[in-house]
Amino acid sequence: MNEKPVQGFGGLWNISFGFFGIQIGFALQNANMSRIFQTLGGSLDDLSYLWVAAPLTGLLIQPIIGHYSDRTWNRLGRRRPYFLAGAVLAALALFVMPEARILWFAAVTLWVLDASINVSMEPFRAFVGDMLRKDQHTAGYALQTAFIGAGAVVGSIFPFVLAHLGVSGTALGGVPDTVRYSFWFGGAALLLAVLWTVGNVKEYSPAQMAAFGERDPVEGVGEPMRALAARGLGRSLAWIVGGVVIVAAVPLLALQKEVYLLGALLIAYGVASIVAIRLARGGKTDNALSMIVGDFAGMPLVMKRLALVQFFSWSALFIMWIFTTPVVAQYMFGASDPKSAAYNAGGDWVGVLFAVYNGVAALAALLVLPRLAARIGKVRTHIACLLCGAAAYASFFVIRDPNWLILSEIGVGIAWASILAMPYAILASSLPQAKLGIYMGLFNVFIVVPQLLVATVMGSVLKAFFPTEPIWTMAFAAIVMALAALAMLRVPETGDRAVS
């Protein structure tokens, strides 16, 4: 059995450079979508749907793209056709989005943009695992994380830079020029970065992958399909009942209307699993639905344990993204009125803080994570970084000078770097190589579900118990990040392969 060749820094750079452009587009979307919708007449009550739209799109698309990318072999390769097609569509959406003049058109374009970014993003995770030896997985995902951080910084600050260069930031009948030019720049950067990776990296052929000891994904279909056919319908019905209970609880408990979406997703998964089981029992195993549900039900143990870690850590991150602005504005700038100058000054400072943690993440991924993982292992490295994040969130309770929050964001950046690198390095070294695409896509479920929970439930909790004290959201973030570190204790170090 042959070994994959060792990649130098140039090879690692080429493999992940496309992610730099993708993250620029993603950061532009996250930083400006609320502004665009409000400019076109969207109300504040409508903005929560936008926070839900992005993770929901990833939840639906990434497992599908992962499944099919495992089975694709053509002139472009295995993963490259998907992130190239997604990049072209995302670039077009970025060029069209700022030209929207009516709300519904902007909403449709946003969904196209987010779907396209997810089509590009998902195969890149598996691509690193495909191209690198196991002993280079940490370095590969760390460099990818550095590109994510750098792209986020560039995409986040570009409108700010244009405004300081004299470009108009006033909305006169449409999107401001600062946003329009930033989106055009982002579309070009995204496409060119992905084209760089496509043009400079040649994927291994099926014959080469077989020589590396990696079997065709189709060969492994039988076992999960037999397990799926043997499953009862009890769990599927439980998902449906749980969804119905949640939907019924919304009016009874006066929960926010977004909670309906969470219930609908549980019902949809229960129905989909029933259909998949019945297809498998009927011998109809050659369909994407049964294969995806079968792979989800048959996840390896290491992935199940990492899923719990992801659930906690991404819950903390989403709390931070939603609630940092009101916390900083109220407790550091003394303002709770979103229309006040002090509140907006707090919001501007949060933009700086977010740029800091992304910049720290890029540096930590390049300079700290690979060396630390080589010394103490991936699992201990991730635990230490998650605890840095928990301490950073807890520090919001004692810091009142906004300048000192930069220290907090250093801790957040260290945790963010590890969250984007270590779980994927552990997975890529522990999972069957032939199914990296589908498993990476399914792993995204445990990023999306906590985001949906936070977006749909946290607002109701805050309104019921702490209506005027958003600082308590940071307590939740600190606790769940610490729980993520605790859950990591059950994850085996790479090389100790766990079985399901």
Side-chain angles (χ1 to χ4, degrees), residues 401-433:
D401 182 343
N403 293 308
W404 283 103
L405 287 178
I406 291 176
L407 291 178
S408 303
E409 295 308 308
I410 292 173
V412 172
I414 291 170
W416 179 231
S418 189
I419 288 167
L420 291 175
M422 289 298 106
Y424 297 98
I426 294 169
L427 274 182
S429 299
S430 306
L431 295 175
Q433 193 72 35

Side-chain angles (χ1 to χ4, degrees), residues 309-325:
V309 178
Q310 291 290 88
F311 178 86
F312 287 132
S313 55
W314 281 86
S315 294
L317 290 170
F318 212 59
I319 290 171
M320 176 189 72
W321 290 330
I322 294 178
F323 295 105
T324 298
T325 295

Side-chain angles (χ1 to χ4, degrees), residues 308-463:
L308 183 62
V309 178
Q310 291 290 88
F311 178 86
F312 287 132
S313 55
W314 281 86
S315 294
L317 290 170
F318 212 59
I319 290 171
M320 176 189 72
W321 290 330
I322 294 178
F323 295 105
T324 298
T325 295
V327 168
V328 170
Q330 180 172 330
Y331 293 89
M332 285 73 176
F333 286 79
S336 55
D337 180 5
K339 296 181 180 179
S340 68
Y343 188 98
N344 283 283
D348 291 342
W349 185 243
V350 169
V352 174
L353 295 176
F354 281 15
V356 168
Y357 89 72
N358 277 294
V360 168
L363 293 174
L366 280 177
L367 304 177
V368 178
L369 293 186
R371 292 176 174 83
L372 191 60
R375 181 180 293 267
I376 66 173
K378 300 181 183 72
V379 171
R380 290 189 181 91
T381 296
H382 197 40
I383 291 172
C385 292
L386 291 174
L387 291 175
C388 286
Y393 293 136
S395 71
F396 276 70
F397 278 84
V398 296
I399 292 176
R400 288 298 175 265
D401 182 343
N403 293 308
W404 283 103
L405 287 178
I406 291 176
L407 291 178
S408 303
E409 295 308 308
I410 292 173
V412 172
I414 291 170
W416 179 231
S418 189
I419 288 167
L420 291 175
M422 289 298 106
Y424 297 98
I426 294 169
L427 274 182
S429 299
S430 306
L431 295 175
Q433 193 72 35
K435 288 192 172 185
L436 266 188
I438 180 59
Y439 280 136
M440 290 293 184
L442 290 172
F443 198 53
N444 186 62
V445 171
F446 304 103
I447 296 174
V448 172
V449 169
Q451 293 184 53
L452 292 174
L453 278 173
V454 170
T456 57
V457 175
M458 196 67 198
S460 297
V461 172
L462 189 64
K463 184 178 180 181

Side-chain angles (χ1 to χ4, degrees), residues 28-29 32 36 94 97-98 179-187:
L28 283 168
Q29 170 193 304
N32 296 283
I36 291 173
L94 284 166
M97 170 72 83
V179 176
R180 176 180 289 107
Y181 298 155
S182 295
F183 270 61
W184 292 349
F185 160 78

Side-chain angles (χ1 to χ4, degrees), residues 7-139:
Q7 296 284 348
F9 183 79
L12 295 174
W13 177 286
N14 291 338
I15 288 169
S16 288
F17 185 71
F19 225 119
F20 174 67
I22 292 172
Q23 195 62 32
I24 289 175
F26 193 64
L28 283 168
Q29 170 193 304
N30 282 348
N32 296 283
M33 63 186 184
S34 292
R35 182 195 302 197
I36 291 173
F37 273 71
Q38 286 184 288
T39 299
L40 297 177
S43 68
L44 287 174
D45 291 337
D46 294 329
L47 295 183
S48 58
Y49 290 113
L50 299 179
W51 284 102
V52 173
L56 178 60
T57 304
L59 178 67
L60 297 174
I61 287 180
Q62 290 210 21
I64 296 172
I65 295 299
H67 167 80
Y68 283 109
S69 71
D70 282 339
R71 290 160 171 75
T72 296
W73 297 101
N74 60 30
R75 289 171 57 190
L76 273 178
R78 187 185 196 184
R79 315 291 181 187
R80 290 185 300 170
Y82 292 93
F83 51 72
L84 177 58
V88 171
L89 293 173
L92 289 173
L94 284 166
F95 277 104
V96 171
M97 170 72 83
E99 297 304 308
R101 293 293 182 271
I102 51 179
L103 187 60
W104 71 263
F105 184 77
V108 171
T109 308
L110 172 65
W111 278 78
V112 172
L113 173 60
D114 203 83
S116 303
I117 287 176
N118 274 284
V119 170
S120 283
M121 191 180 295
E122 198 285 330
F124 262 103
R125 296 293 192 189
F127 189 56
V128 173
D130 289 344
M131 299 302 300
L132 298 180
R133 296 158 45 123
K134 289 184 179 182
D135 57 2
Q136 287 198 294
H137 283 165
T138 298

